[in-house]
Amino acid sequence: MQSTRATIHLTVFFTGILLVMTDRTAASRQVAEAARSGYGKLVFRSEIPRSARVEAATAAGVTLLDYAPGCAAAEAYKALCSEVIRRVES
């Protein structure tokens, strides 16, 4: 049996750390504080909240922005996009 080996050279750009499935619990706040304390500005300001609409959009096979464009999670993703653009352009 002949073995084939391929080498792939990738350059990966790390833009930041995103906190997802956040909520108003003390545990969620502690995780966010620890991440920001440890990683500083690498952690995006935007946080994606836990949302049943995210799960419903996935189950329906559509994007969250099509399913529930005004929900908190969709608004958070929009804010994240703006934040990523600002980081990449600077």
Side-chain angles (χ1 to χ4, degrees):
M1 177 178 274
Q2 184 178 3
S3 174
T4 304
R5 186 176 186 174
T7 303
I8 299 174
H9 298 281
L10 298 174
T11 301
V12 177
F13 295 96
F14 185 76
T15 305
I17 298 168
L18 177 62
L19 302 175
V20 298
M21 296 183 69
T22 61
D23 54 31
R24 295 180 179 170
T25 63
S28 187
R29 284 192 305 272
Q30 288 173 345
V31 168
E33 288 171 12
R36 287 191 171 91
S37 172
Y39 297 101
K41 292 183 180 181
L42 278 176
V43 180
F44 288 108
R45 287 184 204 164
S46 303
E47 294 182 15
I48 310 302
R50 182 181 305 271
S51 172
R53 290 183 176 161
V54 173
E55 296 170 18
T58 301
V62 296
T63 69
L64 179 61
L65 295 176
D66 288 333
Y67 186 83
C71 77
E75 293 299 325
Y77 275 113
K78 292 174 194 175
L80 173 66
C81 289
S82 296
E83 197 173 347
V84 168
I85 291 167
R86 282 192 306 274
R87 284 192 186 191
V88 169
E89 288 180 344
S90 63

